[in-house]
Amino acid sequence: MISNLSYKELEKVNEELQKYRHKCTCGHTVYVVNKSGKAECNHCHRLVFKDKATEFKYIMKRKLIEERRNNKWILEH
């Protein structure tokens, strides 16, 4: 399909892909195209986020879950 495109069409496809390209801390490029805004690096298996706001929400959600687990354990014992 892509081989049948003209040069201008290929440039448009490449520009569209650039929007979803993000760098991992290890230096590899990861495409974040899913709705959740995060993807796993194929090289180091770290999470790569599309922006800082998505990363912040993810970290806060994980801390909230961890806190609930700790409180549940304290209440049971």
Side-chain angles (χ1 to χ4, degrees):
M1 181 184 130
I2 292 181
S3 61
N4 297 344
L5 299 177
S6 69
Y7 182 73
K8 285 188 177 187
E9 291 170 337
L10 282 174
E11 281 184 347
K12 287 181 182 179
V13 169
N14 192 25
E15 287 176 17
E16 193 65 29
L17 283 175
Q18 289 290 336
K19 294 178 186 177
Y20 303 108
R21 186 181 295 183
H22 299 281
K23 287 276 189 178
C24 180
T25 55
C26 69
H28 284 78
T29 303
V30 178
Y31 290 99
V32 181
V33 292
N34 56 8
K35 197 174 187 180
S36 65
K38 64 185 179 228
E40 183 181 4
C41 177
N42 293 335
H43 184 71
C44 66
H45 303 289
R46 292 182 185 143
L47 284 178
V48 178
F49 298 93
K50 69 178 182 178
D51 56 3
K52 292 290 182 181
T54 306
E55 184 176 6
F56 179 76
K57 288 177 185 177
Y58 176 79
I59 291 171
M60 286 290 117
K61 191 173 183 180
R62 297 301 302 167
K63 286 187 178 189
L64 182 64
I65 290 170
E66 183 180 326
E67 187 175 323
R68 285 182 184 167
R69 286 180 184 162
N70 289 338
N71 288 341
K72 184 179 178 182
W73 185 82
I74 291 170
L75 291 174
E76 288 177 355
H77 291 89

